[in-house]
Amino acid sequence: MREDLRRRLRELGVVQGVRELQKRQAPRAVPIEDLVPGQFHTTSRGQCFVAEETYPADHRHGDLRLSTFLQLLPETVLQVEQEGFAGVDVRRVCFLDTETTGLSGGTGTMAFIVGLGFFVEEGFRVHQYFLRDPGDEPAMVEVLQDRLAAFDGLISFNGRAFDVPIIENRFILARAVPPLRDMPHFDLLHPARRLWRYALSSCALTSLEREVLGVRREQADVPSGVIPFLYRDYLRTGDARDMKRVLYHNKIDILSMVTLAARLCRTVADPWNLEQRDESRGLSGGELYALGRWYTDEGRLGEAEQAYRAALDRQPEVEPALRRRTLRELAYLLKRNERRDEAFAFWQQLALEPGRHVEGVLAHVELAKYLEWYVEDLSRAADWTRAALERISDWSPGKRRDEKRAELRHRLSRLERKMGQERPPNSRSAS
């Protein structure tokens, strides 16, 4: 090999033969206490490390301040969470999130980080109980038992199905009384889905952060799916640098639950009073449609109608399928309230929506019913019924199409018989 080429390769770090390879020293393992602020809590069963951080109450997390949650009235919270949260002071609740050795749960899954967030006089404090070694779990359980006893309520995101059962299992295995079993629990996941399922493709917490809360995570974050593997690497190497990223992920989850609870409760309680909202954006058509359904279920029919009408005003933002759903729900709402003349106008709009969709056939039938029984215009009722029969001709073959076709043919036959009975007798029969 030419000497100039050999020298160039050496400058680039390319060498030949193992004698020229320099031994690379393994990086020094950094313990967790050197990476994050916190302290060791000594118990009768060993030590547990707790990372601690306090935020000012007016700390802005996305579009809202943490203190927005403290402004919620008890009756506002109860409009969203009605099961067992009555009488709970929002200042005496804790926000819970765990990071575990597996994502499927079960008795073999350990929570190696239990994060708690709660309000104190100084602001909002986050405690993250970190399991440096599985053998330290009894100490973690003892510390958590004392800490959790200080709260009157619990708020989580999917905690009822995941976090709480895991913690209860670990307490039982440690022969300790599970502290969360009888505590009032506000799980944000299901009401969040109820409000945002028609506006977002995903109601995962990270999606809600981005699309609803205005939260942007730093590059220090780590995806949830790799967290169990990072903890296994930590147990093998003792190097906690990746655990600092996991603690950051857990901390942001807790902060997001605070502002998510505030946004969720305020939106359901009073979506119209935008002056009291810290966020500048208005509600989307999907959110307004979901509110309409929510209010209908709660018997708040005036607010449901207002929400549906507001959703229809979001043109052209509202996608066609959502617009059809909104027209259908609003027309049904008016019909149930004996406002059939007003409902008729929305059934007409729905019938004229383009496409061979199910809602269109439904609207044709409702128009035929109204014209037959309340206007007594049998001819127009029969026309709408024939149009409905023509519409279902493009439906896929199957039981649903056959049943609907039989129903419409029966209706049309009845209308035609009634029209025949109403025809004036001809001259021969009259004589």
Side-chain angles (χ1 to χ4, degrees):
M1 182 182 296
R2 288 166 36 193
E3 185 60 31
D4 58 338
L5 180 57
R6 192 190 307 275
R7 183 176 63 255
R8 181 58 180 155
L9 291 173
R10 191 178 294 114
E11 291 173 353
L12 294 173
V14 179
V15 295
Q16 183 179 14
V18 295
R19 288 182 298 178
E20 297 187 45
L21 292 175
Q22 297 182 355
K23 281 191 174 182
R24 296 183 60 189
Q25 295 183 353
R28 181 179 67 89
V30 182
I32 192 66
E33 59 268 26
D34 290 353
L35 295 170
V36 296
Q39 58 181 312
F40 287 96
H41 288 241
T42 302
T43 74
S44 63
R45 308 179 75 176
Q47 286 189 324
C48 174
F49 180 77
V50 183
E52 301 178 1
E53 191 165 356
T54 302
Y55 295 85
D58 63 353
H59 173 77
R60 185 175 287 275
H61 185 68
D63 296 333
L64 295 178
R65 303 181 189 277
L66 297 176
S67 58
T68 309
F69 176 79
L70 296 178
Q71 300 168 10
L72 295 176
L73 299 174
E75 55 268 28
T76 302
V77 178
L78 287 177
Q79 290 187 39
V80 179
E81 176 52 55
Q82 299 178 353
E83 297 182 6
F85 226 72
V88 175
D89 185 352
V90 294
R91 294 180 178 273
R92 293 183 53 80
V93 302
C94 74
F95 295 82
L96 168 72
D97 186 59
T98 64
E99 307 303 332
T100 66
T101 56
L103 300 177
S104 59
T107 56
T109 301
M110 301 179 70
F112 66 89
I113 294 177
V114 177
L116 301 180
F118 48 92
F119 285 94
V120 294
E121 290 186 3
E122 299 84 353
F124 185 78
R125 185 165 295 165
V126 178
H127 281 184
Q128 295 171 288
Y129 300 80
F130 178 69
L131 201 60
R132 296 179 305 153
D133 184 272
D136 292 340
E137 187 180 45
M140 175 192 280
V141 167
E142 188 172 329
V143 176
L144 282 172
Q145 194 165 35
D146 293 338
R147 180 72 264 183
L148 289 170
F151 302 110
D152 295 342
L154 174 71
I155 297 180
S156 71
F157 191 88
N158 198 32
R160 187 170 279 120
F162 186 76
D163 304 89
V164 170
I166 287 176
I167 291 177
E168 287 187 344
N169 283 337
R170 305 318 299 182
F171 268 72
I172 291 171
L173 292 172
R175 299 184 179 181
V177 178
L180 303 176
R181 180 163 294 173
D182 300 320
M183 185 179 291
H185 186 178
F186 183 179
D187 191 329
L188 297 170
L189 173 61
H190 298 292
R193 283 178 175 170
R194 192 176 181 185
L195 179 57
W196 286 297
R197 63 181 296 187
Y198 303 104
L200 304 176
S201 59
S202 168
C203 287
L205 184 56
T206 51
S207 177
L208 294 171
E209 284 178 347
R210 182 175 59 255
E211 303 296 337
V212 177
L213 302 178
V215 173
R216 295 295 182 267
R217 296 196 178 216
E218 300 174 359
Q219 290 184 345
D221 191 32
V222 58
S224 298
V226 305
I227 287 176
F229 302 100
L230 293 178
Y231 184 64
R232 293 173 201 172
D233 288 343
Y234 160 75
L235 292 178
R236 180 175 53 83
T237 65
D239 189 352
R241 277 175 280 202
D242 279 336
M243 291 299 98
K244 181 180 179 181
R245 300 173 61 199
V246 177
L247 286 165
Y248 170 82
H249 175 94
N250 179 263
K251 178 176 62 179
I252 298 301
D253 280 355
I254 293 172
L255 296 177
S256 293
M257 282 191 280
V258 180
T259 52
L260 179 63
R263 175 68 60 81
L264 179 62
C265 291
R266 294 202 313 168
T267 300
V268 174
D270 187 9
W272 321 116
N273 194 356
L274 299 180
E275 292 181 358
Q276 294 184 6
R277 297 164 65 95
D278 292 343
E279 64 274 19
S280 58
R281 69 174 186 86
L283 296 179
S284 68
E287 290 169 308
L288 289 164
Y289 170 74
L291 281 172
R293 290 174 59 92
W294 193 318
Y295 294 151
T296 300
D297 293 341
E298 299 294 328
R300 299 160 61 178
L301 302 185
E303 293 170 277
E305 179 183 347
Q306 187 177 2
Y308 288 140
R309 289 182 182 273
L312 292 174
D313 289 340
R314 292 295 188 270
Q315 296 286 35
E317 174 204 323
V318 179
E319 61 179 17
L322 183 61
R323 174 178 168 79
R324 294 195 300 268
R325 287 181 174 182
T326 308
L327 286 168
R328 179 193 64 196
E329 297 298 333
L330 178 55
Y332 268 134
L333 181 66
L334 295 170
K335 177 184 175 181
R336 287 194 295 268
N337 282 278
E338 302 298 327
R339 296 161 62 186
R340 299 177 185 276
D341 292 347
E342 295 176 71
F344 181 80
F346 289 103
W347 289 128
Q348 281 187 310
Q349 289 187 48
L350 183 54
L352 296 175
E353 289 286 306
R356 302 277 179 170
H357 42 80
V358 175
E359 292 89 352
V361 174
L362 171 66
H364 281 64
V365 173
E366 290 294 332
L367 289 168
K369 289 179 180 179
Y370 177 81
L371 291 167
E372 177 182 1
W373 300 110
Y374 296 95
V375 181
E376 298 183 353
D377 189 336
L378 301 182
S379 177
R380 289 176 63 196
D383 288 342
W384 281 110
T385 305
R386 293 188 189 95
L389 274 168
E390 195 275 330
R391 277 211 171 200
I392 67 168
S393 61
D394 289 340
W395 285 15
S396 300
K399 182 179 179 181
R400 185 182 67 165
R401 188 182 72 171
D402 294 342
E403 290 179 347
K404 180 58 67 174
R405 177 179 287 162
E407 174 192 328
L408 291 171
R409 285 175 174 171
H410 176 75
R411 177 179 299 279
L412 182 59
S413 297
R414 181 171 50 77
L415 286 168
E416 289 174 341
R417 285 197 304 271
K418 289 174 70 174
M419 286 189 292
Q421 293 170 2
E422 290 182 358
R423 288 174 186 156
N426 55 36
S427 57
R428 177 177 299 179
S429 60
S431 63

